[in-house]
Amino acid sequence: MALFARKRQTSDTAALGNVQPLSPWRRRALIAAIYITSVGLCTLTDPKEGARGSNTPIEGAELYAFKLRNNTQARRYEEVSKWLQQKIVLIPMTDYTFARDEGNIPGPPPPRSYQAKVVRELTQVGAKGIVYDMVFEGKSDLPQGDDDFATALRESKRSYIGCWNPDETQAQNKEGQPGQAATSDNIQRIQKPLPKFGAVARLVYLLAPQANDQNIIDRIQPIIEAAPGEYIPSLSLAGAMQAAGLQDAPIRKVFGGWKIGDFYLPVNADGTFNIRFWADPADSEGIGFFPSIAYEEIYTGAAQNEVYQENLKNHIALIGDISKLGNDFRLTARGQMAGLEIQANAMATLMVAIEKGLFPLREAPRWLNFLIIALLAAPACWFATTLRPQWAFGAMLLTIVAYSLVNLWLFTDHALYLHYVAPCVAVFLTTMGILAERSLSEERQKSWMRALLQRSVSPQVASYLEAHPEKLKPGGELVNATVLFADVRGFTALSSRYEAQFIVGILNEYLQAMTDVVFAYDGTLDKYMGDGIMVIFGAPQPYEDHARRAVCVAIDMQTAMDKLREGWEARGVPQLSIGIGIATGPMIAGNTGAIQRIEYTVLGDIVNLGSRIEGLNKELSTKLLIHESTYAFVKDEVEARGPLAEHVKGQEKDVIVYEILGWNK
C-alpha cells in the first residue's frame, strides 16, 4: 500500500507539472540557510580589527563610513576642538625653511646652534612644553653648537628630545611601512641621544605611528619599556602629560593599559591606542587644523610678536621636519598627512582623555562585530518572514537607521568603534533574500494552485482563487449556491460490449465536452464520478446568477451531447443520453479530506437533494429536472413542465421539481 501511495503521489505531481509548494519545514530550512549565508558572508568580508582600507567593497565602504563618523565627531566636539587649538602649536620645517634664497636656514637638519636659539625663543615667550620630533644622537661639526643647544635645553626645563629603535627603522625600511620590530619580553632596544642632551632634557620615544593592513595610519603605542621597569612615554603622551602637569607622575603597567599617576589609559590588544583625527589636512604640506608658525620665523624672533605670542604662550610647541626631503608623510583615514600633524593629533587624543575624559577610540573586537551582525540580521529575518513585503522593507530601513544612530552615538559619546557596513549589509541581504524566497515560494504556490485549479475550474475562477487563496484553506463556510449532477444513461451496458480502451476513449470525449461547457460559465468542477459529473455554481467564487448559470450549462450539455451522438453513431456507438438534476440553496463549502489528499466540495441537504433529483430522470423518463428553488430564478426565461411533486429518498415531503424543455422562444 505504501508503494502504491508513493506511485499515486508521483503521478499526481507529474500531472501538476512537477510543481509543488515546499513543505513548511523545508521553507524554514531555506530561510535559515539565507540567514546563515548572509551573516557568514558579511562576517568573512568584514574588515579585521584595525583594517580600514579599500581592498574589498565592504572595506572601502567601512573606511568611508569611518571618515563620516570622524567628521561628525569633530562637529560634535567643536568646543573641544577650539580648546585643543589653544593647547598645541606646530613649528614645522618646510621646503621654504631650507631654501637658500628665502629662509636662510642651513640644513636639513638645522645646526644645533639654531636649535638652541629656537628653544630660547619658545621658552621666553612662555611655551608650556617644547617637544622635538627629531633625534639628536651624533655630534655636530661645531661642538660649540652642541654645548649651546644643551645649555638651552637645561635652561628651558620643559624640553623633550627623542630616542628611537634602530630595529624598528630596519623593519620599516624592509616592509615599506611603519611597524614595531619584535623584541624579547617586550623590551625595546633604544638608541639614545648624546648624553649631554639626555642629561638636560626629558626623553621621549619617537615611535612611528602604526599602520593597519592597508598601510593607513590609525594608532600609536603610548609607552615602551626600554629596560625592566624603565618606561619611556611616546612623544604624544609626553606632550599630553606636560600639558596636564603630569610630567613627573609615575608610570605603571596595569591590566588593559597604563596608569599615569591617577589617570588610567586603556589600550588595544596590541598595546596601541587609536588616534582621534580632529580634521582633514588643509594644504599640500599636511598642516591645517592646529595653529602653526614656521621654524624660520621663530628663529628670526617672531615669537616676540604679540600676534604670535597668543599661539605660543602656554602651548605645547611641537617641532619637526615636514619638508619633501624629510619625506615624512603618511596616509591616514583623513587623507595624506605630515608625520608632525599625525603626532599632534595623537597628542591631542591623549590631552582630551586626560583633561576632558574623552578617551581614545576603542575598536570593538571581531567577535563583538560578528555578534552584532548576527543579532541585527535576526529581527530582519523575522520581519521579512512574517510581515507584508512593504512593511518588511520598511522595518529593514528602520533597523538600519536605528543602528546608524546607536553606532554614531557610541562612536562620538563613548569612543567605541563598532563596524557599520557589514551589519547593515547583513540586514539588507537577509531581508531581500527572504523576500525573494517568499516571492518565489508564492509564485510556486500559485503555479501549483493554477495547475490544480485548471483541472476543476475555469481560468476566470482560477484567477479569482489566486487572488483569494483563503477560499481554499482547510475549513468550510455557509454559502448559497447551486449544485448540478449529470449522469450518462446506457453507459454501463455499453461498457460490457466494447474493449476497455475504446470505452475510456468515449468517456474522455464526453467528459471533455461537458467540462468545456462547465468552464464556459465559470462553474467549479467538483468531481468526476465514473460517467457522472458534479458541478458547483457560486462557490468558491460567489456570483448572484449561479442558478441561471447552472441551467445554461445543463441546456448546453444536452446540445453538446447531441453533437457527440452524431459522431459516435458514425462509429457504431449506440445512442447515449444524459440525465441532469439541479438544486439551489444553502450548503457548506470548503476543503475536506486527509493530510495526504484534500479536495474542495460542498455538503448539505441541498447537495443530496440535487443528486436525488438527477436520479428521478430515470423514473420520469426525463433529461433535465430542476428543484423549485432553482426554478424560482429562471421561471420567466425557460419553457418547463410542472410543477411535479415526487417522493425522494431522505425527504419527508414530496419534492417539487420542473422539467426544463428549453429556453422561451
Side-chain angles (χ1 to χ4, degrees), residues 630-656:
T630 306
Y631 181 74
F633 288 95
V634 298
K635 60 183 178 180
D636 296 331
E637 301 180 69
V638 297
E639 181 181 349
R641 183 172 68 90
L644 305 175
E646 298 294 333
H647 177 71
V648 174
K649 183 179 179 181
Q651 300 291 325
E652 296 180 359
K653 298 180 180 180
D654 288 346
V655 174
I656 305 301

Side-chain angles (χ1 to χ4, degrees), residues 391-652:
W391 290 109
F393 190 79
M396 176 195 74
L397 295 180
L398 286 177
T399 301
I400 291 176
V401 169
Y403 178 66
S404 301
L405 295 175
V406 171
N407 185 288
L408 184 61
W409 173 67
L410 291 174
F411 190 96
T412 58
D413 286 29
H414 297 277
L416 178 60
Y417 169 41
L418 299 175
H419 288 187
Y420 174 75
V421 176
C424 292
V425 171
V427 171
F428 176 81
L429 290 180
T430 300
T431 301
M432 301 311 294
I434 293 177
L435 289 181
E437 184 280 331
R438 282 181 60 179
S439 178
L440 293 174
S441 179
E442 289 172 4
E443 185 60 35
R444 186 182 183 95
Q445 175 81 15
K446 287 181 179 179
S447 297
W448 174 78
M449 185 188 302
R450 191 179 300 114
L452 179 63
L453 291 174
Q454 285 173 354
R455 303 169 67 191
S456 57
V457 299
S458 67
Q460 290 81 358
V461 176
S463 298
Y464 172 81
L465 292 176
E466 287 180 14
H468 302 83
E470 69 277 2
K471 293 288 186 178
L472 293 180
K473 289 183 179 179
E477 60 178 340
L478 182 64
V479 299
N480 193 54
T482 299
V483 64
L484 178 151
F485 288 89
D487 188 60
V488 179
R489 302 285 181 258
F491 194 81
T492 302
L494 182 68
S495 301
S496 63
R497 295 173 54 187
Y498 292 91
E499 294 180 356
Q501 186 175 0
F502 180 79
I503 295 301
V504 171
I506 295 296
L507 180 60
N508 287 342
E509 290 180 36
Y510 161 74
L511 294 177
Q512 184 62 58
M514 299 303 108
T515 301
D516 291 342
V517 173
V518 171
F519 287 176
Y521 291 91
D522 294 335
T524 300
L525 184 58
D526 183 282
K527 61 176 67 71
Y528 296 130
M529 302 170 292
D531 58 357
I533 300 174
M534 176 180 171
V535 184
I536 309 166
F537 297 89
Q541 181 181 12
Y543 37 74
E544 294 181 358
D545 60 342
H546 49 83
R548 187 181 185 281
R549 294 193 190 206
V551 174
C552 290
V553 167
I555 294 175
D556 286 1
M557 276 184 167
Q558 298 289 354
T559 302
M561 191 64 178
D562 292 340
K563 292 181 180 180
L564 287 174
R565 276 198 300 268
E566 293 176 4
W568 290 340
E569 186 177 359
R571 293 154 60 185
V573 178
Q575 294 292 320
L576 297 175
S577 63
I578 55 175
I580 301 173
I582 302 174
T584 300
M587 57 190 74
I588 301 298
N591 278 317
T592 62
I595 296 176
Q596 293 82 357
R597 182 177 180 85
I598 61 173
E599 63 178 13
Y600 186 86
T601 189
V602 289
L603 304 170
D605 291 341
I606 291 296
V607 179
N608 295 332
L609 181 59
S611 177
R612 303 298 185 195
I613 291 174
E614 185 277 321
L616 285 177
N617 284 291
K618 292 181 180 180
E619 300 177 14
L620 302 178
S621 298
T622 56
K623 294 182 179 179
L624 173 54
L625 294 174
I626 66 174
H627 188 251
E628 60 179 339
S629 58
T630 306
Y631 181 74
F633 288 95
V634 298
K635 60 183 178 180
D636 296 331
E637 301 180 69
V638 297
E639 181 181 349
R641 183 172 68 90
L644 305 175
E646 298 294 333
H647 177 71
V648 174
K649 183 179 179 181
Q651 300 291 325
E652 296 180 359

Side-chain angles (χ1 to χ4, degrees), residues 129-152:
I130 304 168
V131 183
Y132 269 98
D133 187 15
M134 298 177 65
V135 177
F136 300 92
E137 58 179 340
K139 293 182 179 181
S140 66
D141 295 335
L142 301 173
Q144 65 272 22
D146 288 353
D147 294 338
D148 193 19
F149 184 41
T151 301

Side-chain angles (χ1 to χ4, degrees), residues 132-176:
Y132 269 98
D133 187 15
M134 298 177 65
V135 177
F136 300 92
E137 58 179 340
K139 293 182 179 181
S140 66
D141 295 335
L142 301 173
Q144 65 272 22
D146 288 353
D147 294 338
D148 193 19
F149 184 41
T151 301
L153 293 174
R154 182 178 63 255
E155 293 173 349
S156 74
K157 300 179 181 179
R158 69 197 72 176
S159 298
Y160 294 82
I161 58 175
C163 62
W164 60 293
N165 184 348
D167 295 332
E168 181 188 51
T169 303
Q170 293 173 8
Q172 176 177 342
N173 293 336
K174 181 178 180 180
E175 300 297 335

Side-chain angles (χ1 to χ4, degrees), residues 334-392:
R334 304 298 290 269
Q336 193 81 3
M337 193 174 287
L340 187 66
E341 191 172 20
I342 294 175
Q343 296 284 12
N345 275 280
M347 186 185 298
T349 301
L350 295 175
M351 280 185 179
V352 296
I354 295 173
E355 300 188 50
K356 298 291 185 180
L358 185 60
F359 285 88
L361 191 67
R362 292 168 293 126
E363 184 170 0
R366 190 168 179 82
W367 67 264
L368 181 55
N369 284 312
F370 163 73
L371 184 61
I372 291 172
I373 291 173
L375 290 179
L376 279 182
C381 179
W382 186 81
F383 291 144
T385 303
T386 58
L387 300 181
R388 292 182 178 180
Q390 60 269 31
W391 290 109

